[in-house]
Amino acid sequence: SYNVFGTKRWTFYHTHDLDGSGEGAIVVDQKQGEMMYVPSGWRHSVVNMEEAISINHNWMMVGSLDFVFECLLDEIKAIEDEMDAWGMTGVESPGSDSNQLSRVREDMLRGCVGMDISMFCMLVIRCFTDCLIGILDPVKGADGSIDCCQNNNWEWWFDFTRIVKILGKMLDTAIYDERDSIVNDSENEDDKVIIDMQGRLHSTLGQIYAEQTIDLMYSLHDIGCRTMCDDR
């Protein structure tokens, strides 16, 4: 967050401060021309001490994509609850939604967090491809051996395992018209989130590309699992 002018007071809460009492909190005043970096998942609050304008940008890395997906799930549940309260849909049967309603869901999600499920699917597929290329095309030394420290091959493997895990979680949280309900492994029944992923992709990409994207995600997840098993 870059402060164009004015002063903003940031309060970063301790991880054990669940009720926001402020005990052990870090308080920082951000002045004009200063930039503030907020680590992923760090709970905080901001107060304008005077009239102020700031420029904010959220960014992510492969290592935090699972947190991004959890954020999407939380927002999806909030949107579903709101739509259900307005009588717009039944949250218990997402597979029966029309194409138009799926598009509304994607538009609302994108408006809330700047990304929808279709965009996240494309991002994960792209990250998977980049990681796989990095693993299969490493930089070799003069003797033909791979210097993991020199070419950061271990980083490619780390990111690759994260992507495979995220793909599995995405597919385990989806429901399709032709499949039985599959939900994420939340302990609380009320916290379970079901995504009509095929319907959402259909509403943004069209039926053919939606089906191809789903098939591709299954194939990539299978390739990833086999690759990690072969490496072990």
Side-chain angles (χ1 to χ4, degrees):
S1 176
Y2 176 77
N3 230 19
V4 179
F5 69 83
T7 302
K8 306 169 78 72
R9 176 161 295 172
W10 294 73
T11 302
F12 296 92
Y13 298 99
H14 194 280
T15 53
H16 300 300
D17 184 11
L18 301 180
D19 57 359
S21 64
E23 181 180 357
I26 300 175
V27 180
V28 180
D29 286 345
Q30 180 189 15
K31 299 180 181 179
Q32 178 177 328
E34 295 181 340
M35 183 177 296
M36 180 68 68
Y37 168 73
V38 181
S40 177
W42 197 322
R43 195 159 57 93
H44 61 280
S45 63
V46 186
V47 176
N48 290 336
M49 306 304 293
E50 55 185 336
E51 187 171 312
I53 293 179
S54 61
I55 301 174
N56 302 283
H57 179 67
N58 295 320
W59 61 283
M60 66 190 81
M61 299 184 300
V62 174
S64 62
L65 283 182
D66 51 345
F67 294 109
V68 176
F69 186 58
E70 292 298 330
C71 175
L72 290 175
L73 291 182
D74 290 341
E75 199 61 39
I76 285 173
K77 185 178 185 302
I79 292 173
E80 291 297 316
D81 290 344
E82 183 174 353
M83 293 176 69
D84 189 50
W86 283 95
M88 297 176 63
T89 179
V91 296
E92 72 280 355
S93 56
S96 63
D97 292 341
S98 66
N99 186 63
Q100 182 178 1
L101 192 55
S102 294
R103 184 57 182 265
V104 170
R105 280 190 167 104
E106 288 289 81
D107 290 343
M108 292 180 67
L109 182 61
R110 189 168 57 254
C112 291
V113 296
M115 176 178 289
D116 55 32
I117 289 296
S118 301
M119 295 168 63
F120 188 75
C121 287
M122 297 300 105
L123 176 62
V124 170
I125 291 173
R126 171 62 187 272
C127 290
F128 181 98
T129 305
D130 289 344
C131 290
L132 190 59
I133 292 175
I135 291 173
L136 297 179
D137 189 28
V139 177
K140 295 184 179 181
D143 58 352
S145 62
I146 298 176
D147 187 347
C148 295
C149 296
Q150 181 176 344
N151 75 334
N152 295 326
N153 187 257
W154 66 270
E155 292 184 2
W156 286 119
W157 273 111
F158 176 82
D159 289 346
F160 185 74
T161 56
R162 301 280 290 191
I163 289 293
V164 174
K165 179 181 178 181
I166 294 168
L167 273 170
K169 183 180 294 187
M170 293 171 65
L171 295 172
D172 285 345
T173 316
I175 178 174
Y176 306 87
D177 293 340
E178 69 277 10
R179 298 170 63 90
D180 292 333
S181 298
I182 307 175
V183 295
N184 56 331
D185 55 355
S186 173
E187 295 180 358
N188 189 342
E189 186 73 24
D190 294 335
D191 291 337
K192 290 184 177 180
V193 180
I194 302 175
I195 302 176
D196 181 11
M197 191 176 296
Q198 183 165 289
R200 289 173 178 267
L201 291 172
H202 183 191
S203 70
T204 55
L205 304 178
Q207 182 176 355
I208 295 178
Y209 287 122
E211 293 175 353
Q212 291 177 344
T213 300
I214 293 292
D215 290 341
L216 177 60
M217 290 172 63
Y218 269 108
S219 297
L220 294 182
H221 183 250
D222 182 63
I223 292 173
C225 292
R226 291 174 181 271
T227 302
M228 289 189 295
C229 289
D230 291 343
D231 179 67
R232 285 197 289 268

